[in-house]
Amino acid sequence: MLTGRQTLGTIEQSLEDLRREEAELSKRIERSTRALTDLQERQSEAYRDLARFRLDSDAAGTLNTRLDSAAREARRLLDKRSADYKVLTEQLRQCESERFQLQKKRTELDSARNAAETRMDELMEAVDARLEEDAAYLAQRKATQEAEATAEAAATKAGIAEEDRRQKGKAYDADPLFVYLWQRGFGTPDYRRRGLVRSLDRWVAGLIGYHDARANYAMLTGIPERMARHAEHCAEVARQEQEKLARISRDAMTDAAGSDLVGSIETMSEEIDRIDGELDTLDRRIETLSTALAEFSSGEDADFQKAEEHLSVSLQADDLKELWREARESPSPEDEKIVQRIEDLRERIDQVAREIRQDRELQRDIGRRRGELADVIKRFRAKGYGSWESTFSDDNLTTVLLGELVKGAITGADYWARAERSHKRRKPRGRRVAFPGGTGLPKSMGGFGGGGFKGGGSFGGGGFKSGGSFGGGGFKTGSKF
């Protein structure tokens, strides 16, 4: 059986290996791309040499000027491109160096946290045995259980009251005359209208029997609000009792361990979470820089394409083709040497171009596989599968399946589906006495801290906004109630 951290660590290492492979490939493509432009420049020089033998001085001078101009412009663009490439490369190096240091620190923290969690797990039975005989702990556990039961019951009643108000309140809410008077506060000290408006409102109120309806509606809305506040109060009491129980549990674990293991685990977890946030930011930055460098290395950036265009347009001109044809037909040994040089250069250019195309295709494939791995890692972290409590029954997740994912034989979705099916959550040892329901247990070990009441609903921020029914008869809109 694999632990979640072992599995996640192996996937992360595979991602790092793939990143290194991608970086080396980018460097190779960049070198090949520069070699290609150098070959093209040498080809341009060979054409100029050929022109001096085959054309009169004026024509040769014109051709040389055009080729020189194209070469100079291409060189200027390539020099600028080289400077930009160096800047991007340095930025990527700095980001990767920073990431390496952060990852190293995270690995150290993770190892220390794992040791603390393992130590805590080993002590769980001893702490359970101690607390089973601790009168103060048992009394607090009983008080906590009673507070939790009260909070659950209050939350249930508040929910029923809210649903009751929602159902019986529909008739009131659907009557525009009632809603109009209710919103104006008619029949309460808040009503401030005078004169004709007050007379008309009084007439409307008499028409629909507003005064009796208002009393019923006030009760209908008031009871759920009071019950919601009561439920929230009960939940807060339960949280406080849980906090007391957690404190006793943690103190017992501290006495057994000789140090605050729970506090240490939570502190390290918070630091790891912070580092994960920084790593995520760095990964996005590295991805952006890597994409830009991939464009450079593959010759897809604007400067390279312009430089390539300048050279290729000159080398493909009709008069150069004519020079080529005439040189091949000429009996001059010097012409033959130059033509042979041009042919050799052309073959070499074709070969390098093929290699670049193959490497670019491989680069795209690696980028796709890297994306699949990165997506799996994000899912692992989002689900908390790198925690102490996570385990996987499928050992192939770090061997055969991971190898298939790295090679691109399966997708990240395929891998994730297998991981989901084999995932399990282990519980700490012992008889669940010391940290009942996870109260006070570190989150990484399946707990929810010291004061988080898990039962019931939330009733903060002003209580329920819509509610349920109380009492008997239904409210009928219009002139009858």
Side-chain angles (χ1 to χ4, degrees), residues 209-392:
Y210 174 77
H211 291 290
D212 289 339
R214 189 194 68 79
N216 291 336
Y217 190 69
M219 179 181 296
L220 197 62
T221 56
I223 291 178
E225 290 176 356
R226 289 194 297 274
M227 294 187 73
R229 289 193 293 271
H230 175 67
E232 180 60 37
H233 171 71
C234 291
E236 178 58 30
V237 170
R239 282 191 286 268
Q240 291 174 0
E241 295 301 325
Q242 283 180 335
E243 180 63 39
K244 294 175 185 177
L245 185 66
R247 193 174 301 116
I248 296 174
S249 300
R250 290 187 177 205
D251 287 346
M253 180 60 70
T254 298
D255 289 343
S259 63
D260 183 10
L261 280 179
V262 177
S264 297
I265 292 169
E266 292 289 21
T267 298
M268 287 186 284
S269 294
E270 290 172 2
E271 180 65 8
I272 288 172
D273 289 342
R274 184 192 65 78
I275 291 176
D276 282 343
E278 292 186 19
L279 286 172
D280 185 58
T281 300
L282 271 175
D283 284 342
R284 290 196 298 270
R285 175 64 174 157
I286 289 172
E287 179 68 22
T288 300
L289 290 170
S290 296
T291 300
L293 284 170
E295 290 181 357
F296 269 81
S297 63
S298 63
E300 295 176 0
D301 58 289
D303 285 340
F304 180 80
Q305 290 177 352
K306 288 178 182 178
E308 188 177 48
E309 181 182 0
H310 278 290
L311 285 176
S312 63
V313 168
S314 295
L315 294 176
Q316 293 172 9
D318 289 340
D319 50 359
L320 292 182
K321 292 180 180 179
E322 182 64 20
L323 280 174
W324 178 283
R325 185 188 63 78
E326 292 177 357
R328 292 177 65 92
E329 295 173 356
S330 170
S332 169
E334 194 64 33
D335 279 5
E336 290 180 4
K337 291 179 181 179
I338 298 174
V339 170
Q340 185 61 52
R341 179 153 50 106
I342 291 173
E343 287 182 341
D344 292 343
L345 287 167
R346 184 175 64 175
E347 290 178 3
R348 181 59 181 149
I349 286 171
D350 291 342
Q351 178 185 351
V352 173
R354 283 194 302 271
E355 292 172 355
I356 291 175
R357 285 194 298 271
Q358 292 170 356
D359 284 345
R360 286 176 183 173
E361 183 62 32
L362 179 57
Q363 184 183 52
R364 284 189 287 269
D365 180 58
I366 290 177
R368 180 186 61 78
R369 288 183 275 142
R370 174 178 47 76
E372 295 279 353
L373 273 171
D375 183 62
V376 168
I377 289 173
K378 286 180 181 178
R379 292 191 183 194
F380 260 73
R381 289 178 176 170
K383 283 281 193 176
Y385 283 1
S387 65
W388 176 90
E389 61 174 342
S390 287
T391 62
F392 294 93

Side-chain angles (χ1 to χ4, degrees), residues 372-425:
E372 295 279 353
L373 273 171
D375 183 62
V376 168
I377 289 173
K378 286 180 181 178
R379 292 191 183 194
F380 260 73
R381 289 178 176 170
K383 283 281 193 176
Y385 283 1
S387 65
W388 176 90
E389 61 174 342
S390 287
T391 62
F392 294 93
S393 58
D394 190 349
D395 291 346
N396 287 328
L397 288 174
T398 59
T399 54
V400 177
L401 282 175
L402 183 57
E404 293 294 300
L405 177 60
V406 171
K407 290 187 296 185
I410 62 173
T411 66
D414 295 332
Y415 184 91
W416 179 251
R418 288 285 294 268
E420 287 266 70
R421 288 197 296 270
S422 68
H423 179 257
K424 300 182 184 302
R425 294 191 182 277

